[in-house]
Amino acid sequence: MNQIKIKDEYIKLGQALKLSGMVGSGVEAKIVILDGQVLVNGEVELQRGKKLHPGDIISFNGEEAQIQS
């Protein structure tokens, strides 16, 4: 599982997908999120601006990443 280190209190889902390398661009992140392909803590998330905090896990296309402070 990849680790995504953040300096702030949270990171938005679209940014986390880009930072983890799961998607190549913000446009791609928007498409896969709205298409219901991204899971946050095991549940489908349709909001690109969903705030993720340390401990949250995102899953897409067989890859997982955990948010860490």
Side-chain angles (χ1 to χ4, degrees):
M1 179 182 306
N2 294 331
Q3 308 295 324
I4 302 172
K5 295 209 180 279
I6 60 173
K7 297 175 184 155
D8 298 319
E9 182 182 336
Y10 65 87
I11 186 171
K12 292 184 180 177
L13 179 55
Q15 295 170 320
L17 284 170
K18 288 190 298 184
L19 194 59
S20 70
M22 292 183 189
V23 298
S25 69
V27 172
E28 185 181 354
K30 178 181 177 181
I31 292 169
V32 299
I33 292 167
L34 290 177
D35 201 29
Q37 298 180 44
V38 179
L39 302 180
V40 174
N41 298 325
E43 298 194 13
V44 173
E45 180 56 60
L46 300 175
Q47 297 178 47
R48 173 171 61 151
K50 168 78 174 172
K51 293 178 182 178
L52 304 176
H53 299 89
D56 286 338
I57 298 173
I58 58 174
S59 307
F60 170 65
N61 205 22
E63 294 183 60
E64 285 190 337
Q66 184 173 34
I67 310 301
Q68 293 191 333
S69 56

